[in-house]
Amino acid sequence: MAPKKSNAVSKRHRPHEKFDKKRDTKKAKLAEKKVVSNHPTEEEEDLDSSEEEDAIEEESEAVVYRKPTTYDNLLASLGSSNKAVADMNKRRQREEEGKSDTEGDDEDEEEDDDSGSEDQISTDGEDDEIQGDDQGLTEDTEKENKDNLSEEEDSDGYETDEEVELSTNGQPLVDASSSASVFSEHLSHILSSEEVKTLPEGKWKFKWEAPAIDMPNCRWKGTRQDFFDAVQNDAPYGLKPKLLKHWLQLYQKSGGKDFDSSKRRRFFSICNSYLDILHSNKRPFYNKGREEDSSAMDAYLMHSLNHIFKTRDLVKKNESKIAKHRETSEEEILSDDGFLDQGFTRPKVLILLPMRSIAFRVVKRLIQLTPESQRVNVEHLDRFNAEFGCEDESDDDDEKTSKNGKSTTHKSSKPSDWQALFGEKNSDDEFMLGIKHTRKSIRLYGDFYSSDMIIASPLKLHMAIGQAEENKERDVDYLSSIEVLIIDHADIISMQNWSFLATVVDHINRLPTKQHGTNVMRIRPLYLDGQARFYRQSIILSSYLTPEMNGLFNRQCLNYKGKIKLACEYKGVLEKVLLPVRQIYERFDADSMTQADNARLEYFTKKIFPKIKDSVEGGVMIFIPSYYDFVRVRNYLKSQNASFCLLGDYTKNADISRAREWFFAGSRKIMLYTERAYFYRRYKIRGIKNLIFYSLPERKEFYPEIMNMLDEGSYDMMSTALFSRFDLLKMERIVGTASAKRMISSDKSIFAFC
């Protein structure tokens, strides 16, 4: 939670006027000697001078007692284990009391040469223990830190944007400063007091629209009029030139043409605007959308690499400046806001994925998108292939290659999308992987605190959070400084446990409980002021939209830059129902979304169940998307002594086989079947004569698949679907947007499709 404060300006307190004059004099002398190699821009100088004036004005105010802020408590806590932090906290307290720098203990003037940087993070014994549990690492942390130093301290091999541009056929694509502008502007923005007050409320109005190119019947909706002004549509599109050159080569090798107008380039430009993004109409790879899925994945991975490399460039550039000014005390150097370039911990990108097989695709592509000179060695790749890969990773999941080299077709009763997700795939949903980019290599299974990127499942992170809450020696502070959050395949995550994801997002950007080797003097004010969540970019990708996704996007993604989301119109899937079924839709009234569940159950018990209670014929299947509703209906049927069987989320295989036999034979009149059970198992049910949708399925393709299970021998095939005005999102995917809106607002409450 953000600490309370009187204004939105950074609380980093600067030295007194005496020290300012001393520092300015020294800077002038250094400038005359031309020691400084990189001069600040006019814009930076104006920003520094304006901030210093604000700080002087604040210092002139009367000093009054105030309750310690979260920042005060954090510094006090960190100072107990770190002398440099303790000294800085003492100086800060003296400044607030109006004392000079020379007053107090002589210890305040001593310097600690052991201050760490983001590239030299060390972990204590507790962190090693955590990593041993989560990653199974055998490397000693001290050895890893030495490796980091040997790989990253070689400044001769460090490449800036300028150096890369000069080596690109001698023809620079763009000035390096403009290439880094979106990145630097985003993180250097200072929130106003009004923004600090209103952003936590999560009240957004999507009233501005722009066409979604290459997506028929879709449009982007934004929270501000100029939401596409930050999108760069000219090369290098805000991308580091070296990354762009490599990406172009890969694109051309794959047969791609006109990169500028490609989907991946367009979506990258949207990602690079640092707006929060909700893309809810992505055709996934497992549903005949391999090219579209790969384009979106390329875009957000390249954006992640771009963000990580630009962060590293800034840190290394500042370290180089500090190294050239050894004759000047580090305190004087770091008093310049230009050196505020770090968070509490190193990880900056978090990618949440539902399954290991999907993580395998993402990491493999991440390695491919990294320029060859920066992936000379990929550490622990064999282990990664063994733990995340599977036997068959061909593009066509139904085609196998026999021993004689001929292609054979593997026939299965399961649909193609199930085959692509679960057929011989690693569908484990408990994993977490740290990835670190060094100058010439990629380290998989790195310590989380020294990694640049973390790829994990919501389940695994939820477990880590629970362990940290139970055991105070553990922590999840590696989530404290995430600047780019990507949630891909949110539709699959919704089929797992959405509450796990919500818990994880809620724990991102919280203040850390321990110090993890970062130099506090170089931490950005946005972190110290508890405002990191307002700067975090969140990108959510899904094949459909749910109220839960909307809620997460609106209430837990609070980026000050604003939001854009995709709004689409649908034709529906009724034409895919092959059987002559009378499809009845019955609307019930509900005052609110929280009251809708009770209203649905009441309508079912009073209007629907009496019609099937005394059915002699049987063959009634009730399809229920929510496990919560499944439990309520099951308990109600028990209370009515109804003849029924179950095919639920946690039903054992033996019980499933028995239930299917009972239902087909007619010894059980009613079957309850959940959407999640169907998603994971795809069992076809025989003997269905009457189909009831307690609520419509979230996945539109399930509707015709379930409808086509009806027994063709039945005299009068019929289905009944219950809905309320709060079911509009799922309704429009099934009956079409126009029909759904008409059914929601009509005076009639019963509708039929034949």
Side-chain angles (χ1 to χ4, degrees):
M1 184 175 178
K4 296 180 180 179
K5 53 186 178 179
S6 57
N7 57 61
V9 180
S10 166
K11 290 182 179 176
R12 179 177 292 272
H13 291 264
R14 296 177 174 77
H16 273 245
E17 188 174 358
K18 178 180 178 181
F19 178 76
D20 288 339
K21 291 180 179 178
K22 179 182 176 182
R23 184 196 63 196
D24 293 340
T25 303
K26 196 156 236 175
K27 278 188 176 181
K29 290 180 179 179
L30 291 174
E32 291 173 3
K33 295 179 181 179
K34 297 184 178 181
V35 176
V36 179
S37 58
N38 293 303
H39 296 280
T41 62
E42 293 181 6
E43 200 173 50
E44 290 171 341
E45 290 176 345
D46 293 341
L47 181 60
D48 287 342
S49 61
S50 63
E51 289 181 345
E52 288 172 7
E53 290 172 3
D54 292 340
I56 293 172
E57 288 178 6
E58 289 179 3
E59 290 169 357
S60 63
E61 295 176 1
V63 179
V64 295
Y65 172 78
R66 62 182 177 83
K67 185 178 179 181
T69 64
T70 307
Y71 177 33
D72 296 324
N73 296 332
L74 175 65
L75 286 179
S77 175
L78 296 180
S80 64
S81 59
N82 187 296
K83 183 177 180 299
V85 178
D87 292 345
M88 187 190 74
N89 195 21
K90 288 179 182 178
R91 289 193 298 275
R92 179 174 176 270
Q93 291 173 353
R94 284 201 305 274
E95 290 167 11
E96 292 176 350
E97 294 169 3
K99 297 180 180 179
S100 67
D101 279 350
T102 57
E103 296 181 36
D105 300 333
D106 294 335
E107 295 176 350
D108 294 343
E109 295 182 357
E110 297 180 3
E111 293 184 10
D112 187 358
D113 294 332
D114 223 22
S115 59
S117 70
E118 247 184 320
D119 289 327
Q120 300 173 0
I121 295 175
S122 62
T123 55
D124 53 20
E126 297 168 356
D127 296 331
D128 289 342
E129 181 182 350
I130 295 172
Q131 290 304 117
D133 291 342
D134 291 337
Q135 299 278 66
L137 292 177
T138 58
E139 292 86 0
D140 185 78
T141 306
E142 183 178 351
K143 177 178 180 296
E144 181 173 321
N145 288 339
K146 290 180 180 179
D147 293 341
N148 297 345
L149 291 173
S150 63
E151 289 174 345
E152 298 183 6
E153 284 188 341
D154 183 4
S155 59
D156 294 337
Y158 172 66
E159 289 183 322
T160 62
D161 277 337
E162 291 88 343
E163 291 169 345
V164 174
E165 288 168 354
L166 291 175
S167 63
T168 308
N169 299 324
Q171 187 67 31
L173 293 172
V174 74
D175 180 58
S177 61
S178 64
S179 175
S181 61
V182 178
F183 166 80
S184 58
E185 287 174 6
H186 175 62
L187 293 175
S188 63
H189 174 77
I190 298 177
L191 296 178
S192 67
S193 57
E194 183 66 20
E195 287 175 312
V196 174
K197 179 182 178 181
T198 58
L199 284 172
E201 297 175 359
K203 296 180 180 179
W204 310 92
K205 293 182 179 180
F206 294 87
K207 54 184 179 180
W208 308 103
E209 298 184 0
I213 303 173
D214 292 335
M215 285 186 278
N217 303 319
C218 294
R219 62 196 184 280
W220 289 107
K221 299 179 69 176
T223 57
R224 67 187 200 189
Q225 186 174 6
D226 57 345
F227 65 87
F228 268 162
D229 283 2
V231 175
Q232 297 186 25
N233 291 310
D234 298 323
Y237 317 108
L239 190 61
K240 285 177 65 66
K242 190 171 185 177
L243 285 174
L244 176 60
K245 181 180 178 181
H246 180 64
W247 198 12
L248 281 170
Q249 290 173 346
L250 291 177
Y251 183 72
Q252 291 166 358
K253 285 181 181 179
S254 65
K257 298 179 180 179
D258 192 8
F259 178 81
D260 181 69
S261 61
S262 64
K263 288 183 178 181
R264 63 196 65 205
R265 201 284 302 166
R266 286 198 182 101
F267 191 59
F268 166 79
S269 295
I270 295 175
C271 292
N272 194 54
S273 68
Y274 282 95
L275 295 162
D276 282 346
I277 303 168
L278 177 55
H279 185 340
S280 58
N281 194 39
K282 186 191 71 168
R283 175 173 289 184
F285 71 93
Y286 56 84
N287 194 14
K288 301 178 181 179
R290 184 173 294 275
E291 174 60 29
E292 182 175 336
D293 200 322
S294 298
S295 296
M297 181 173 64
D298 264 25
Y300 72 66
L301 285 178
M302 194 55 76
H303 175 55
S304 301
L305 286 173
N306 197 44
H307 186 86
I308 289 171
F309 290 165
K310 286 187 176 182
T311 300
R312 185 179 66 182
D313 287 353
L314 180 60
V315 172
K316 300 300 285 184
K317 182 178 179 181
N318 286 337
E319 287 177 352
S320 177
K321 286 183 180 180
I322 294 172
K324 292 177 181 179
H325 295 75
R326 287 303 182 189
E327 71 278 7
T328 307
S329 68
E330 187 175 7
E331 296 173 1
E332 293 183 62
I333 297 173
L334 296 183
S335 63
D336 186 346
D337 282 356
F339 293 96
L340 306 180
D341 54 14
Q342 301 181 16
F344 293 115
T345 54
R346 176 166 176 159
K348 291 293 177 284
V349 177
L350 174 63
I351 301 179
L352 298 177
L353 302 169
M355 300 176 181
R356 282 183 183 259
S357 58
I358 295 177
F360 185 79
R361 294 181 71 248
V362 170
V363 175
K364 280 287 192 180
R365 188 57 178 169
L366 176 72
I367 295 172
Q368 292 174 357
L369 290 173
T370 304
E372 294 179 2
S373 62
Q374 293 174 286
R375 56 176 170 92
V376 176
N377 180 35
V378 181
E379 300 180 27
H380 308 298
L381 183 59
D382 291 340
R383 175 185 170 188
F384 172 75
N385 290 334
E387 295 184 2
F388 283 78
C390 51
E391 294 181 3
D392 176 35
E393 286 298 334
S394 61
D395 286 346
D396 190 345
D397 297 290
D398 291 332
E399 289 190 2
K400 314 290 180 182
T401 302
S402 61
K403 293 182 179 180
N404 59 10
K406 295 182 179 180
S407 177
T408 59
T409 302
H410 175 70
K411 293 183 179 180
S412 172
S413 60
K414 307 290 187 182
S416 59
D417 64 315
W418 187 94
Q419 289 291 339
L421 273 178
F422 304 106
E424 299 184 24
K425 301 292 182 182
N426 193 338
S427 59
D428 178 48
D429 59 355
E430 184 183 336
F431 62 89
M432 184 154 57
L433 179 71
I435 300 177
K436 177 177 180 176
H437 289 267
T438 64
R439 185 170 58 85
K440 290 185 178 181
S441 67
I442 299 174
R443 176 172 296 167
L444 305 179
Y445 296 95
D447 177 84
F448 294 136
Y449 290 98
S450 61
S451 296
D452 298 298
M453 176 188 297
I454 295 174
I455 295 180
S457 65
L459 171 61
K460 183 63 177 179
L461 273 176
H462 183 270
M463 293 170 61
I465 291 169
Q467 291 168 0
E469 291 175 348
E470 294 176 1
N471 185 352
K472 297 304 179 183
E473 294 183 354
R474 298 195 171 203
D475 63 73
V476 288
D477 291 347
Y478 43 78
L479 299 178
S480 64
S481 302
I482 298 298
E483 294 173 351
V484 178
L485 168 66
I486 299 167
I487 304 171
D488 197 4
H489 298 282
D491 49 308
I492 299 180
I493 295 175
S494 71
M495 288 289 143
Q496 295 173 335
N497 193 322
W498 189 261
S499 65
F500 291 169
L501 175 65
T503 299
V504 170
V505 175
D506 184 58
H507 278 75
I508 298 174
N509 298 131
R510 290 190 177 185
L511 289 172
T513 58
K514 304 181 183 73
Q515 186 195 11
H516 298 279
T518 303
N519 187 347
V520 178
M521 293 292 289
R522 293 178 64 179
I523 295 178
R524 293 181 186 273
L526 66 93
Y527 289 104
L528 298 176
D529 293 339
Q531 297 174 352
R533 57 182 176 150
F534 302 139
Y535 290 80
R536 184 190 73 232
Q537 180 190 28
S538 301
I539 302 173
I540 303 176
L541 301 132
S542 176
S543 63
Y544 58 81
L545 184 62
T546 67
E548 291 77 15
M549 292 179 197
N550 260 334
L552 180 76
F553 188 63
N554 291 331
R555 290 190 289 272
Q556 291 184 269
C557 302
L558 306 174
N559 188 353
Y560 80 88
K561 286 289 280 288
K563 299 175 178 293
I564 60 170
K565 67 178 182 180
L566 203 63
C568 301
E569 294 186 353
Y570 300 90
K571 297 180 180 179
V573 294
L574 296 181
E575 61 183 19
K576 295 184 179 180
V577 177
L578 305 178
L579 301 177
V581 184
R582 280 198 307 126
Q583 303 168 55
I584 308 299
Y585 285 75
E586 299 188 21
R587 190 185 69 210
F588 62 91
D589 295 325
D591 296 330
S592 66
M593 186 172 290
T594 55
Q595 195 264 337
D597 292 335
N598 292 332
R600 190 186 306 272
L601 180 63
E602 182 180 359
Y603 190 91
F604 173 80
T605 57
K606 293 183 177 180
K607 301 290 185 178
I608 304 299
F609 183 71
K611 299 177 183 178
I612 62 175
K613 180 179 181 180
D614 300 323
S615 173
V616 178
E617 187 178 24
V620 178
M621 189 177 87
I622 304 176
F623 189 84
I624 308 177
S626 165
Y627 182 74
Y628 171 73
D629 287 333
F630 168 81
V631 172
R632 300 184 79 188
V633 173
R634 180 197 64 188
N635 293 342
Y636 176 77
L637 294 182
K638 281 184 178 180
S639 68
Q640 299 298 310
N641 296 319
S643 172
F644 69 97
C645 56
L646 305 173
L647 208 167
D649 299 0
Y650 307 105
T651 308
K652 297 179 180 179
N653 289 335
D655 294 334
I656 290 175
S657 299
R658 192 179 303 113
R660 293 172 69 189
E661 292 176 3
W662 286 343
F663 186 73
F664 179 65
S667 56
R668 295 290 187 275
K669 307 298 183 183
I670 301 172
M671 170 179 278
L672 302 185
Y673 199 169
T674 65
E675 182 173 7
R676 187 157 65 161
Y678 183 72
F679 173 74
Y680 281 101
R681 301 175 184 272
R682 303 296 174 91
Y683 285 129
K684 290 185 177 180
I685 307 301
R686 297 180 298 166
I688 303 175
K689 299 179 177 61
N690 187 2
L691 180 59
I692 297 174
F693 288 97
Y694 187 81
S695 179
L696 290 169
E698 293 286 0
R699 306 183 78 87
K700 62 182 181 181
E701 61 270 19
F702 285 1
Y703 183 82
E705 289 178 10
I706 297 295
M707 291 289 292
N708 291 330
M709 287 185 193
L710 280 162
D711 190 348
E712 295 186 51
S714 301
Y715 170 72
D716 185 18
M717 289 185 290
M718 184 180 71
S719 70
T720 303
L722 308 184
F723 73 95
S724 72
R725 63 188 179 94
F726 299 105
D727 295 323
L728 177 62
L729 292 176
K730 61 175 71 175
M731 277 191 65
E732 63 179 354
R733 294 193 289 268
I734 293 174
V735 303
T737 301
S739 297
K741 291 181 177 179
R742 185 173 62 252
M743 293 163 67
I744 291 293
S745 59
S746 175
D747 293 335
K748 299 179 180 178
S749 60
I750 298 179
F751 308 87
F753 295 91
C754 299

